[in-house]
């Protein structure tokens, strides 16, 4: 069964487009450095494995993965432009 | 009573530092364009009002505010550098 995830990242310019392309294969692009979507445990592990190849801790790269339980009633407010949101059909 | 919020934004370079400074007054800086923290309804409205002064929809600016219920068991995984996380004491 898949779970809901929100991924935000702060990656050095030299590597950010690779991480962006990688995440596009797993999740939906939401904002500048934010992705959302559903992942099975297997795809989550694979995504983390691949991200790990790019993320350089010493170079201040950071990726945060939020796992949001399905029964969580998340409310969402968008100011300005919304780049499309997979969660919108789950949001109150 | 305050609620938990996660804010991610994608703001034009001309305006991004103003939004960043503004959000620092309400929330904790987590990642590049990500803030977390607790807000009362009053402070949420005030934050949104002030952000609205900067966000220019026609210029592709976007701010997404996730309201995460307190009873929501959010799991968090950080790859690389963690810039400090107010949620860590609420995360499993």
């Amino acid at each position: 069964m898949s779970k809901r995830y929100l991924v935000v990242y702060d990656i050095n310019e030299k590597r950010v487009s690779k991480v962006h392309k990688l995440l596009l294969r797993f999740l939906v692009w939401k904002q500048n450095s934010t992705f959302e979507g559903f992942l099975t445990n297997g795809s989550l592990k694979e995504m983390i494995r691949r991200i790990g190849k790019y993320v350089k801790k010493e170079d201040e790269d950071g990726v945060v993965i939020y796992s949001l339980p399905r029964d969580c009633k998340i409310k969402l407010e968008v100011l300005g432009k919304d780049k499309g949101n997979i969660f919108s059909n789950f949001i109150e």
Side-chain angles (χ1 to χ4, degrees), chain A:
Chain A
M1 202 179 93
S2 63
K3 287 187 199 157
R4 267 189 333 190
Y5 292 91
L6 180 70
V7 177
V8 294
Y9 58 82
D10 185 0
I11 305 275
N12 184 295
E13 275 177 7
K14 285 175 272 167
R15 287 179 292 282
V16 68
S17 64
K18 283 182 194 141
V19 173
H20 184 86
K21 277 182 203 135
L22 165 61
L23 288 173
L24 280 174
R25 284 193 227 142
F26 291 91
L27 297 167
V28 175
W29 183 42
K30 174 69 198 162
Q31 273 281 10
N32 183 15
S33 50
T34 308
F35 280 76
E36 294 175 7
F38 292 87
L39 296 170
T40 61
N41 268 342
S43 39
L44 173 68
K45 281 181 188 138
E46 179 57 14
M47 182 183 80
I48 289 173
R49 190 184 67 79
R50 293 194 203 178
I51 291 173
K53 285 195 279 183
Y54 297 119
V55 167
K56 302 276 178 277
K57 188 168 185 172
E58 57 282 5
D59 287 344
E60 298 284 312
D61 285 352
V63 177
V64 181
I65 302 169
Y66 296 89
S67 150
L68 307 169
R70 270 184 183 266
D71 55 357
C72 228
K73 283 263 171 287
I74 296 172
K75 286 189 186 164
L76 184 81
E77 181 148 352
V78 178
L79 309 176
K81 191 157 178 59
D82 178 357
K83 288 192 169 126
N85 166 23
I86 193 169
F87 283 156
S88 54
N89 42 7
F90 296 93
I91 304 296
E92 279 176 352

